């Protein structure tokens, strides 16, 4: 306690003279730390509660005040209370203190509080290391191209701050010198990073289990629907996936991207059949039908949606993901949920019907007797009038087209008999309402029918060779089984043909949806937006979607066909090793300092002598060091004196003779430290 | 001893040089007590052909040191007491019209001597100061288009009071750079001061001093110093020191190339006086504070502004 007080007084004494004590943090170092904290916390602040930003801000101001205006730093008790209090607050707000969100919050708070007790080099380095952690959390949160500049700034600031923090405060580098050194260090790191990125063994799926927070509220498609679900999707302009066609793409109205197929209907809600409830086995790709329909091959870059649907162009013939399979309802499913950006290639025909001679599932015929009685009556009446199934379906479509049915994204709520309500009362809705009503009318007339959801259309990027399919292109349509064929009917197209021909924005000219980007409203903005999306697509395709498949393809091109994990690890280790050796060689060559035998022996001697009392200080000349040792151990005078003299003679008094150097080396080896008892 | 070493200076010369160095130390040391390091550095400075600035409070023996050095070296000695009303002519001399032959004749000033003591140089105006500094730089005096060479060797020992004293004109940095070394003497140790108080007037001892070397011997020594071996390792060290002063945030201004040259030259001469056939890092360290101290300008607020900047540099730069 006394000693501590003494220490603190000395510290105050230093400060009073306006001199930074050797261990203290200089203003330049502090500024770098604050800059680093600003940069690394920026990506988090958008999602974290306001009070955390406030804590960081107050801590930064306080620390600056302490540096510039000599404000007192908070004492142990206050710091302890703050630490405990904010940890509790985080636990209270998030109900946990780990996980991405809560963990980032906690790290940021601790970073800010650590700033308030930062004096020594060790404290500074600790702050920098925590900041690196926060930066890494930001990377977990967001890996898009847009986040790269800020992450890169964080890496630069982190490196500079680390360089400065580790220095004695009298040796702080000028900003320019520090930045140049950082640039050099990072340049050295680039080849290593590249090698590790390309060659480090990739595991299928994300390398780390993303904390649960990342999945919340991101579901694009669902295995159930009751009219109203898709409204929220329709308002988001986020990309669902991007697709590149080899050759001419099909007409826009043929672009049906097939997602979940909903077969069970209870009169209000559509559901996918669970696998166990099916009679049919898995489907397999059927030959193109009709045989002369054009086959389109394409590559899809899928945004992670944490579901299994791969969203092929209807109807898929083949795909390059081995683990993917076609469900009985002809949904293309990957083996596990799509949790990372991934790319796959497929071939499809864009026909509205395909043959399936198997009897449809019983569920596709079921009509709930308790609900929607008027619809059932209408169906019976119209079927009787039509004469054939096909004629009946056509008459339903023309009913939608000719009577007063409206397309809107903000339909009025529906009551207990939703289809009845829709058909006879509200008469307005969007794709789900029409698909649902059409399928029910078909079933009520005894025709098997199901609802297919997915995306329709897309937007070609004029600056690059691909289409963007957005969440706002989500769609639902109907499939009806007639004469051994599943035939697609899109009742929405009957009501609002523009929806299918030109997209959502064209279908709703009156109700301008403000959340849709105003692409096309200003040509310049449109170009920028498309250019940015094209860049993003490249980033996603080449960087984020680089997974095990792409890696083995790359290695295949290098001559390693189907490498095992062990081969990969070996190739990776070898490449990294070669790069490191190359750097070492370059460094040594540039400095011209091959450690010559004389210098080696001297270093060795110093290392041994260090055990006697203390290591040689960097600026300590040989005789000075020897004098210190001899003062402590007079019996060393003779041997050490002659060794030092010989070393000085060889090193500084002429070009050393090889034999003499060898003699020095021998003498150093023969030199015996005094016995342990004599040390001290 | 140096059998297997390609030594440039021969062993006898080194032996002589060392003995001479010891002799000078001993002789001058009789007059100035307990200042062996400073005496040695002053002699080194002279040997290196540079000029010396001694900066200290009055009465610590600055003048005495200069006179003693002149005495043991057997060189002519003049003293110029600088005052605030001094004119350049009082230093370099003037042309006087002689009626006999109707011509101007040059009357050399006090600067025409081997060793010139410029006492309290910062008490005169910059005009007078620069007259001396020009002479130091050119080793000659030019008046009315006529050039008068100064004697060889020419060695100026300037003393100055610490700058904050009243009525002084501090030398600007560019002129400080003209001095090879700056030394401070400091108060003598208690024991030695007692001896000083008890003993006779040191000034009287000056007359007892015998010259130990003449100017020809001095030239031989200077030639030998220039031939001392400089290893790559040592030059690495010197360059590391210089680089540090230029790159560190401690200083506004680092060492100039002239400063670096002076550092090497001073280290050579000290090595010679120690009898080393090559320059050791110890020699560089020993002269570094004196050679670099007045040329480094500490950045205000940095640690160097308070602590001894030269020592900070020496502690930070590793010896290769």
């Amino acid at each position: 306690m006394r000693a501590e007080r003494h220490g603190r007084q000395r510290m105050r004494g230093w400060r009073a003279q306006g001199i930074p004590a050797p261990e203290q943090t200089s203003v330049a170092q502090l500024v770098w730390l604050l800059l680093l904290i600003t940069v690394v916390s920026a990506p988090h602040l958008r999602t974290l509660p306001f009070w955390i930003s406030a804590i960081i801000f107050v801590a930064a101001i306080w620390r600056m005040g302490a540096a510039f205006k000599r404000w007192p730093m908070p004492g142990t008790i206050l710091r302890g209370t703050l630490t405990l209090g904010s940890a509790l607050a985080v636990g209270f707000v998030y109900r946990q203190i780990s996980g991405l969100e809560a963990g980032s919050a906690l790290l940021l708070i601790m970073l800010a509080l650590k700033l308030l007790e930062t004096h020594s080099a060790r404290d500074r380095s600790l702050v920098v290391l925590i900041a690196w952690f926060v930066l890494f959390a930001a990377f977990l949160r967001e890996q898009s191209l847009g986040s790269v500049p800020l992450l890169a700034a964080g890496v630069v600031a982190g490196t500079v701050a680390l360089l400065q923090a580790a220095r004695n405060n009298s040796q702080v580098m000028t900003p320019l010198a520090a930045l140049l050194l950082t640039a050099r260090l990072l340049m050295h790191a680039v080849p290593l990073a590249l090698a590790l990125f390309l060659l480090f063994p990739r595991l299928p799926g994300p390398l780390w289990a993303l904390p649960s927070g990342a999945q919340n509220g991101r579901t694009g498609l669902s295995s159930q629907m009751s009219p109203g679900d898709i409204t929220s999707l329709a308002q988001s302009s986020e990309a669902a996936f991007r697709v590149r066609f080899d050759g001419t793409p099909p007409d826009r109205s043929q672009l049906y991207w097939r997602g979940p197929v909903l077969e069970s209907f209870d009169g209000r809600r559509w559901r996918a059949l669970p696998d166990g409830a099916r009679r049919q086995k898995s489907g397999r790709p059927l030959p193109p039908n009709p045989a002369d329909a054009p086959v389109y091959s394409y590559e899809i870059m899928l945004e992670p949606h944490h579901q299994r649907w791969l969203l092929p162009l209807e109807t898929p013939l083949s795909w390059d993901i081995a683990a993917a399979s076609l469900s009985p309802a002809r949904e293309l499913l990957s083996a596990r949920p799509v949790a990372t950006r991934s790319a796959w290639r497929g071939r499809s025909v864009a026909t509205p019907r395909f043959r399936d001679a198997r009897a449809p599932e019983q569920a596709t015929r079921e009509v709930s007797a308790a609900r929607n009685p008027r619809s059932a009556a209408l169906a019976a009446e119209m079927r009787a009038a039509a004469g054939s199934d096909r004629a009946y379906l056509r008459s339903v479509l023309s009913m939608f087209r000719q009577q007063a049915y409206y397309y809107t994204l903000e339909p009025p709520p529906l009551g207990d008999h939703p289809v009845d309500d829709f058909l006879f009362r509200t008469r307005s809705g969007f794709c789900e309402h029409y698909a649902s009503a059409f399928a029910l009318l078909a079933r009520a007339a005894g025709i098997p029918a199901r609802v297919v959801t997915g995306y329709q259309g897309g937007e070609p990027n004029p600056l690059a060779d691909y289409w963007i399919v957005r969440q706002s292109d989500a769609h639902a349509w109907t499939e009806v089984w007639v004469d051994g064929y599943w035939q697609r009917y899109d009742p929405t197209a009957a009501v609002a043909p523009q929806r299918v021909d030109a997209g959502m924005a064209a279908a709703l000219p009156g109700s301008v949806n403000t959340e849709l980007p105003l692409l096309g409203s200003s040509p310049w903005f449109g170009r920028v937006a498309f250019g940015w999306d094209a860049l993003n697509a490249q980033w996603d395709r080449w960087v984020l979607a680089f997974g095990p498949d792409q890696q083995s393809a790359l290695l295949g091109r290098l001559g390693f066909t189907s490498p095992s994990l062990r081969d990969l690890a070996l190739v990776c280790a070898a490449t990294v090793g070669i790069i490191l050796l190359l750097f070492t060689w370059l460094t040594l060559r540039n400095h011209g300092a091959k450690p010559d035998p004389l210098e080696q022996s001297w270093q060795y001697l110093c290392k041994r002598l260090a055990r006697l009392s203390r290591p040689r200080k960097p600026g300590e000349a040989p005789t000075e060091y020897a004098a210190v040792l001899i003062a402590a151990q007079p019996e060393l005078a003779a041997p050490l004196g002659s060794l030092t003299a010989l070393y000085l003679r060889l090193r500084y008094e002429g070009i050393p003779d090889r034999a003499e150097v060898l003699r020095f080396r021998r003498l150093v080896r023969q030199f015996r430290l005094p016995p342990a008892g004599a040390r001290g | 001893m140096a059998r297997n070493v390609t030594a440039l200076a021969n062993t006898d010369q080194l032996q002589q040089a060392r003995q001479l160095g010891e002799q000078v130390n001993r002789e001058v040391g009789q007059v100035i007590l307990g200042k062996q390091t400073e005496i040695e550095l002053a002699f080194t400075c002279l040997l290196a052909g540079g000029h010396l600035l001694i900066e200290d409070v009055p009465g610590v023996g600055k003048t005495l040191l200069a006179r003693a050095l002149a005495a043991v070296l057997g060189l002519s000695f003049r003293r110029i007491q600088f005052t605030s009303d001094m004119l350049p002519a009082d230093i370099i001399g003037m042309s006087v019209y002689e009626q006999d032959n109707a011509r101007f004749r040059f009357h050399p000033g006090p600067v025409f001597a081997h060793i010139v003591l410029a006492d309290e140089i910062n008490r005169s105006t910059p005009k007078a100061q620069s007259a001396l500094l020009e002479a130091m730089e050119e080793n000659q005096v030019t008046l009315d288009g006529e050039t008068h060479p100064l004697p060889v060797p020419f060695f100026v020992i300037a003393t100055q009071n610490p700058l904050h004293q009243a009525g002084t004109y501090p030398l600007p940095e560019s002129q400080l750079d003209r001095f090879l070394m700056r030394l401070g003497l400091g108060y003598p140790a208690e024991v030695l001061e007692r001896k000083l108080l008890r003993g006779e007037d040191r000034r009287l001892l000056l007359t007892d001093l015998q010259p130990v070397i003449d100017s020809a011997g001095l030239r031989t020594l200077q030639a030998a110093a220039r031939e001392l071996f400089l290893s790559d390792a040592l030059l690495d060290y010197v360059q590391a020191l210089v680089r540090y002063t230029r790159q560190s945030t401690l200083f506004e201004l680092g060492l100039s190339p002239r400063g670096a040259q002076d550092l090497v030259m001073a280290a050579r001469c000290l090595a010679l006086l120690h009898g080393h056939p090559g320059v050791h890092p110890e020699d560089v360290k020993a002269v570094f504070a004196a050679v670099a101290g007045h040329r480094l300008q500490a950045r205000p607020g940095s640690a160097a502004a308070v602590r001894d900047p030269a020592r900070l540099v020496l502690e930070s730069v590793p010896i290769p």
Side-chain angles (χ1 to χ4, degrees), chain B residues 9 101-102 156 212 231 245 276 278:
Chain B
N101 47 13
V156 173
V212 293
S231 63
T245 64
H276 300 155

Side-chain angles (χ1 to χ4, degrees), chain A residues 16 18 130 183 197 235 262 300 424 456 485 491 509 518 522 602 622 657:
Chain A
I130 303 175
F197 174 78
Q235 289 169 342
L262 312 178
I300 284 189
F424 301 106
Q456 199 282 321
Y485 284 92
L518 302 170
S522 138
W602 168 248
D657 185 280

Side-chain angles (χ1 to χ4, degrees), chain A residues 18-20 170-174 599 616 618-624 647-649 651-655 657 660, chain B residues 1 4-6 229 231 233-234 244 249-250 277-282 285 301 303 306 314 316-320:
Chain A
I19 312 144
S170 61
Q171 297 171 326
V172 174
M173 291 188 279
T174 60
E599 191 53 26
R616 186 167 76 90
E620 208 166 17
T623 43
E624 290 167 344
Y647 170 71
L648 284 173
R649 183 156 69 76
R651 189 148 187 79
Y652 294 105
E653 297 181 1
I655 314 280
D657 185 280
E660 285 287 276
Chain B
M1 183 67 188
N4 297 314
V5 171
T6 335
F229 183 79
S231 63
L234 186 97
Y244 183 86
T249 52
L250 291 174
V279 183
H280 292 183
E282 286 87 338
K285 286 184 75 172
V306 190
L314 289 177
S316 309
V317 177
I319 293 176

Side-chain angles (χ1 to χ4, degrees), chain B residues 8-27:
Chain B
L8 293 173
N10 72 51
T11 321
D12 289 347
Q13 239 175 355
L14 289 172
Q15 194 69 18
Q16 276 175 8
R18 205 179 69 190
Q19 280 169 359
L20 183 79
E22 282 166 3
Q23 218 172 346
V24 170
N25 274 355
R26 204 167 42 239
E27 294 284 326

Side-chain angles (χ1 to χ4, degrees), chain A residues 118-177:
Chain A
T118 297
H119 300 287
S120 65
R122 187 182 156 278
D123 296 334
R124 295 191 293 267
S125 300
L126 198 62
V127 168
V128 176
L129 291 183
I130 303 175
W132 277 106
F133 232 95
V134 173
L135 190 67
F136 189 68
F139 172 73
L140 280 185
R141 192 192 284 275
E142 175 82 59
Q143 299 145 31
S144 70
L145 184 59
S147 67
V148 168
L150 206 51
L151 289 177
V155 169
V156 171
T159 314
V160 174
L162 194 60
L163 285 176
Q164 300 284 40
R167 286 173 168 252
N168 193 319
N169 61 20
S170 61
Q171 297 171 326
V172 174
M173 291 188 279
T174 60
L176 185 67

Side-chain angles (χ1 to χ4, degrees), chain A residues 268-556:
Chain A
R268 177 167 191 87
R269 185 180 297 271
W270 288 91
R271 283 194 177 85
L273 274 185
D275 280 348
R278 293 182 182 281
R279 283 185 286 112
Q280 293 176 0
K281 293 279 184 293
S282 277
R284 55 203 145 70
L286 300 177
N289 188 346
D292 56 352
V295 174
Y296 297 99
S297 64
Y298 52 88
E299 182 181 18
I300 284 189
M301 286 149 281
L302 202 56
E303 298 287 310
H305 56 51
H306 304 283
Q307 306 277 7
R308 291 173 57 202
W309 294 288
L310 288 173
L311 301 164
L313 180 67
E314 202 159 72
T315 310
L317 300 175
S318 66
W319 47 89
D320 70 347
I321 306 178
S325 61
L326 204 61
S327 79
R330 308 183 65 77
E331 303 155 289
L332 187 58
L333 296 172
S334 84
R336 56 175 67 81
V338 179
T340 55
R341 282 189 183 74
S342 43
W344 63 277
R345 299 188 60 82
R347 288 165 64 247
S348 294
V349 286
T351 52
R353 61 188 216 141
F354 53 87
R355 172 186 285 281
D356 191 352
R358 299 171 295 187
E361 294 284 341
Q362 184 55 36
T364 59
R365 301 174 186 273
E366 278 168 7
V367 180
S368 161
R371 289 188 196 261
N372 307 313
R374 293 180 65 190
S375 306
L378 177 73
E381 186 188 318
M382 286 176 71
R383 174 67 182 85
S388 78
D389 284 350
R390 286 182 182 283
Y392 163 66
L393 293 169
R394 267 198 304 280
S395 68
V396 173
L397 283 185
S398 52
M399 174 184 82
F400 285 141
R401 189 161 31 236
Q402 285 156 12
Q403 296 189 18
Y405 284 97
Y406 301 102
Y407 183 73
T408 174
L409 287 182
E410 283 144 5
L414 303 175
D416 278 345
H417 303 288
V419 180
D420 280 6
D421 253 15
F422 167 67
L423 282 177
F424 301 106
R425 188 170 63 83
T426 67
R427 292 181 163 239
S428 54
F430 50 87
C431 54
E432 284 191 358
H433 299 77
Y434 291 98
S436 167
F438 189 86
L440 176 72
L441 288 176
R443 285 186 183 186
I447 311 171
R450 60 196 184 191
V451 169
V452 183
T453 59
Y455 297 88
Q456 199 282 321
E459 188 174 22
N461 187 329
L463 301 180
D465 175 28
Y466 66 86
W467 290 59
I468 313 168
V469 179
R470 303 177 187 281
Q471 296 294 1
S472 58
D473 294 317
H475 194 48
W477 59 92
T478 318
E479 250 173 18
V480 175
W481 194 69
V482 193
D483 304 335
Y485 284 92
W486 279 106
Q487 170 83 39
R488 177 172 74 219
Y489 282 89
D490 189 349
T492 315
V495 180
Q498 317 89 311
R499 163 67 185 90
V500 172
D501 293 335
M504 183 72 78
L508 290 167
S511 69
V512 173
N513 195 325
T514 49
E515 280 190 51
L516 278 173
L518 302 170
L519 298 184
S521 66
S522 138
W524 182 83
F525 181 80
R527 281 185 75 80
V528 171
F530 277 122
W532 176 239
D533 194 83
L535 274 178
N536 262 304
Q538 293 293 326
W539 171 258
D540 293 348
R541 184 175 178 204
W542 295 111
V543 179
L544 297 183
F546 189 84
D549 298 337
Q550 285 81 352
Q551 189 174 42
S552 53
L554 175 79
L555 283 166

